[in-house]
Amino acid sequence: MSEKRSACPYCGASLPAEAAFCPHCIHSIRSRQALKVPSHLWRKTLKWAVGAVVLAAVALGLYRYVAPATYDAYGEVTYTNADGTYQLLLTFRNERFTPQPEITEQAEQDGEYRMPSRLFINHVDTGANAGQMFLQKVDTVSAEIRQPADSPSPMVCSQPEYRDFSPEAAQISLVDFTGRSAPAELVWTIRMENGDTIRLRQKIAVEQIRTYDYGPEDYPMSTMEDLQALVDQITQEIPLPAVVNLHLPAVTYTGSLTIDGRPINLYGSVDPAGNRTTFTDTVRVGPKEGPITYFYDLDFAGGGTGVGVSASARFWAENCTFTHWKTGVLGYGDVWVNVIGCRFAENGTGFHFNSSGSYVTHTLFNDNTFVENDTAVLLEDVPSDEPLNFQGCRFTDNGVDIDNRCGQPVEISQAIFE
């Protein structure tokens, strides 16, 4: 029997009936059918895909959990770690819970100024001061001023450290500037031991204020009547926030002087014979508004009674002398007063602080000399619990060196007692 044959549908060559391909043109003769993948293989593939996605999500979450974090804000940051949640804030004021992200300071053009940027750290849940505890988790703390390269008077900041004059602040950076300083930004960088970084920022702007200087060559001021009239005229004509400086001749004034409507600074002088500007009656300082009233290089010579300077407004005396008064300098009301580098001799009380309220200008009372006073320093009431620092002061032959009736913290380790 002969074998059945068929023709190739592509080249027409004769083919055996059961041929799978043509040996002449190499084309496949039989049609192909797609194989079906069993459904259980699709399920396995889907499970692997879902598992991979889950693993990727877990890995990303774990990375975000353990990777160092960066916090960056003006004024304050809320930071949480395993021990709790903390408020970190910067302020130029002595206020532990109130951040100060920016400040505008009024300044004379050529005046030199310093202000403290304070870092406070509070435990959010309890409100407790957590500064020293938190710093144990800190690797480094630094500060820098960022400002225009062409600033006519660049600001400068100190590196942060703990300072006694503001004991609740974790650390303080001192910022120095003048009235010609351009706007700048103070940046604190806190690097934690766990790798986290906290940046706290403060914007600082300086508003230049006008300064008026009066001297004896242009204005009558050789008698107390002349001087009081000039003070009253200035009070009426020169509004705040302008600064007024009176440069006084080396004369002795008799009669009292009152500076009440606005702060007016007094600068003494010395004549060729060595006599300095001298007041023999009380000078009252009581402006309700405005900056500190400054007295420089003045002598206050009393007759055994009365008060040399009676201040119910912010007051600062530097390189002045107070002799033969019942009280040399009295600060009262609700204000802060300072005496720096002054001499108090043969007074009933040299320096008397009797002021309530809550205010601090400067806690240093350095380089004063107290000689033969019945009481050199009387602290009856002080508007702050911050320690008063008497470094460099000399106490000699006083009946009582410091009568601390209000229990004010004082720093006297660098004072001399004879």
Side-chain angles (χ1 to χ4, degrees):
M1 179 180 290
S2 61
E3 182 183 11
K4 289 184 178 181
R5 302 183 73 84
S6 61
C8 174
Y10 298 99
C11 66
S14 178
L15 299 173
E18 301 299 326
F21 66 93
C22 175
H24 299 281
C25 66
I26 316 302
H27 274 86
S28 176
I29 303 301
R30 296 179 180 176
S31 60
R32 297 179 178 177
Q33 294 181 347
L35 295 176
K36 294 183 178 180
V37 179
S39 60
H40 66 276
L41 293 179
W42 283 108
R43 288 195 294 271
K44 288 183 178 180
T45 302
L46 181 61
K47 289 180 180 179
W48 278 105
V50 171
V53 171
V54 172
L55 287 175
V58 171
L60 179 60
L62 183 61
Y63 172 78
R64 289 178 175 176
Y65 180 76
V66 301
T70 298
Y71 302 77
D72 197 322
Y74 286 90
E76 69 175 321
V77 158
T78 300
Y79 178 81
T80 301
N81 63 11
D83 296 328
T85 300
Y86 302 89
Q87 177 197 33
L88 288 80
L89 65 90
L90 295 181
T91 178
F92 292 104
R93 299 183 290 259
N94 193 34
E95 298 178 6
R96 186 157 65 88
F97 298 99
T98 306
Q100 196 173 21
E102 58 184 66
I103 188 173
T104 298
E105 282 290 289
Q106 294 180 333
E108 298 178 68
Q109 176 176 311
D110 295 317
E112 297 180 354
Y113 303 87
R114 168 175 285 181
M115 59 184 179
S117 174
R118 296 171 167 93
L119 170 66
F120 289 105
I121 304 174
N122 304 308
H123 195 277
V124 170
D125 292 337
T126 65
N129 187 342
Q132 298 310 310
M133 178 183 69
F134 188 88
L135 288 178
Q136 296 177 15
K137 312 173 190 299
V138 172
D139 185 19
T140 61
V141 182
S142 61
E144 63 173 322
I145 294 286
R146 297 181 182 178
Q147 58 195 318
D150 59 352
S151 176
S153 179
M155 293 188 191
V156 178
C157 72
S158 68
Q159 288 309 303
E161 62 179 316
Y162 176 80
R163 292 183 178 270
D164 291 338
F165 69 80
S166 187
E168 289 193 307
Q171 292 196 339
I172 289 175
S173 173
L174 300 176
V175 179
D176 293 311
F177 62 98
T178 74
R180 295 180 291 112
S181 298
E185 187 171 275
L186 174 64
V187 182
W188 287 60
T189 301
I190 303 168
R191 301 193 185 279
M192 307 296 294
E193 290 182 343
N194 65 5
D196 291 347
T197 299
I198 303 171
R199 289 191 182 89
L200 285 166
R201 304 171 184 264
Q202 289 178 300
K203 294 180 179 179
I204 305 172
V206 178
E207 181 180 42
Q208 198 171 112
I209 56 179
R210 187 169 179 179
T211 302
Y212 295 85
D213 288 282
Y214 294 77
E217 63 278 5
D218 297 315
Y219 299 90
M221 54 177 70
S222 59
T223 68
M224 180 57 74
E225 290 75 19
D226 291 339
L227 182 57
Q228 185 67 68
L230 181 58
V231 166
D232 295 341
Q233 178 184 341
I234 290 170
T235 299
Q236 294 296 320
E237 296 179 352
I238 309 298
L240 293 169
V243 173
V244 176
N245 301 318
L246 298 190
H247 301 273
L248 305 177
V251 299
T252 296
Y253 291 103
T254 59
S256 63
L257 174 68
T258 299
I259 301 173
D260 194 33
R262 58 152 300 135
I264 296 177
N265 305 321
L266 303 184
Y267 289 78
S269 61
V270 58
D271 65 17
N275 301 307
R276 301 208 314 171
T277 305
T278 302
F279 290 89
T280 61
D281 206 337
T282 301
V283 176
R284 296 178 177 85
V285 179
K288 299 299 185 293
E289 298 180 356
I292 301 170
T293 296
Y294 292 93
F295 286 2
Y296 295 98
D297 306 319
L298 302 171
D299 291 340
F300 295 85
T305 62
V307 179
V309 173
S310 175
S312 60
R314 291 188 294 167
F315 171 72
W316 179 297
E318 188 167 337
N319 194 30
C320 296
T321 69
F322 302 88
T323 56
H324 298 109
W325 297 96
K326 180 180 180 181
T327 301
V329 173
L330 169 64
Y332 68 99
D334 59 357
V335 299
W336 192 269
V337 293
N338 275 93
V339 290
I340 307 290
C342 294
R343 178 180 174 85
F344 298 83
E346 301 178 38
N347 302 288
T349 299
F351 173 62
H352 184 180
F353 215 150
N354 187 20
S355 180
S356 58
S358 179
Y359 186 83
V360 178
T361 296
H362 188 55
T363 57
L364 277 175
F365 293 77
N366 55 290
D367 301 321
N368 297 297
T369 301
F370 300 91
V371 180
E372 297 182 2
N373 302 280
D374 294 339
T375 299
V377 175
L378 172 56
L379 303 178
E380 188 169 349
D381 201 359
V382 178
S384 170
D385 291 332
E386 296 192 23
L388 307 186
N389 194 330
F390 290 91
Q391 69 179 42
C393 289
R394 183 179 293 272
F395 295 83
T396 304
D397 295 332
N398 300 290
V400 176
D401 290 321
I402 300 178
D403 183 349
N404 193 355
R405 297 183 187 180
C406 63
Q408 178 72 20
V410 294
E411 173 54 57
I412 56 175
S413 63
Q414 297 182 58
I416 299 171
F417 295 88
E418 301 174 319

